[in-house]
Amino acid sequence: MTDIPYRYERTATAGELHERHAGLPPDTRSGARASVAGRVMLVRRHGAIAFGTLDDGTGRVQLFATEAASPQFEDFTKLSVGDWVGVTGEVVTTRRGELSVTVDELVTLARARRPFPDKWHGLVDPDTRYRQRYVDLWVTEDARRALLVRSRVMSLLRRWLEDRGFVEVETPVLHPLPGGAVAKPFVTHHNALDMRLFLRIAPELYLKRLTVGGFEKVFEIGRVFRNEGISYKHNPEFTMLESYEAYTDYFDVMTFTEELVVHTARTALGTTQVTFEGHEIELSGPWPRITVLDAVSREVGREVSLDTPVSELADICRSHDVGVRDWWGPGHLIEALRDNVVEPS
């Protein structure tokens, strides 16, 4: 193997090879040569023949080497899973019809210093998956797909809003006062101004100022920060889409939200049916509309309202294993029932 180079000139990706040579019969030499680069995901030797799997992000292609025809056969068989390599050779198919690139020239681009997860079981430890996303992306197909779908969704959101006359803006991330939502902020300090500032918990207040300034339709997709609990469902830093439109009410916003989600799902996924935690969900609508009070009443089996005595609401909470505090009023108690009884169902 040669010294590790600064760059590598590839002539095709794995995805392009599969597209160009689709339908190539088994045990066929195409006569076409290609230089591919990517990460080695598997190497196995069978006597004087060796196979490998190369993943470059667009897909996977097999690498094929023989002791008789590949000058760097031994180097190839000593590769570790996770190594980055460049390979030049002829595009062929094996007797089983597997599209492959022969290992005529081999260049090591980067060595994997730590072992990759087990081939068959993948990365199964949740803590490692969430702390080392870069590893999870390489070994978990669903994780890579989710990232690609997310990128597509972000693009579709912007286009859908712009097509309806919305103007995208960027508002300050550092705020002199926390506002726009009820959450604990991150606090920082501006040295030049000797001033305490807060990372925004929402872009709401500045977006509303833009509507005051005459922009009737505005939106922002940006990071917000909330200095609170952390779990696999909640991150203290996350992305929020927030929009404002003049001359509309919350019924219009319901329709707006439904149309946005349905369009995005249909365009990004090609379907409005998705699976979440084992449940098949049809997004196409029409979505049911229900008030918080009606939803809580339905789940607890009796009518509740802001006029229901606090003692009765507290008893309902306790009967559904929902913890309460002595100082809570009807709003807090109904909100607790919504969070703990309505949302799970």
Side-chain angles (χ1 to χ4, degrees), residues 277-330:
E277 294 186 349
H279 298 283
E280 292 292 331
I281 302 173
E282 178 54 63
L283 298 174
S284 62
W287 295 3
R289 268 68 165 166
I290 187 170
T291 68
V292 171
L293 291 174
D294 286 343
V296 172
S297 299
R298 182 180 65 187
E299 292 299 326
V300 302
R302 57 161 292 184
E303 185 175 352
V304 299
S305 72
L306 293 173
D307 295 324
T308 303
V310 169
S311 59
E312 292 183 23
L313 290 173
D315 288 340
I316 294 171
C317 285
R318 295 187 186 97
S319 68
H320 287 83
D321 297 323
V322 177
V324 300
R325 299 191 179 185
D326 294 338
W327 54 271
W328 279 5

Side-chain angles (χ1 to χ4, degrees), residues 39-42 55 57 60 81-82 84 114-125 128-130 132-145:
R39 186 164 233 158
V40 176
M41 302 304 291
L42 176 68
D55 189 329
R60 294 186 174 185
V81 173
W84 294 83
R114 296 183 180 181
F116 250 50
D118 176 80
K119 172 196 170 191
W120 300 111
H121 299 94
L123 193 59
V124 295
D125 178 39
T128 303
R129 289 192 63 190
Y130 287 111
Q132 296 178 266
R133 283 293 195 184
Y134 49 92
V135 179
D136 188 34
L137 287 170
W138 270 109
V139 300
T140 309
E141 181 65 30
D142 285 347
R144 289 203 298 275
R145 179 177 176 274

Side-chain angles (χ1 to χ4, degrees), residues 26 36 57 66 90 117 124 132 154 176 178 197 204 268 270 276 285 305 312 329-330:
V36 294
T66 64
E90 185 180 1
V124 295
Q132 296 178 266
M154 300 300 281
L197 294 171
E204 176 179 336
F276 180 73
S305 72
E312 292 183 23

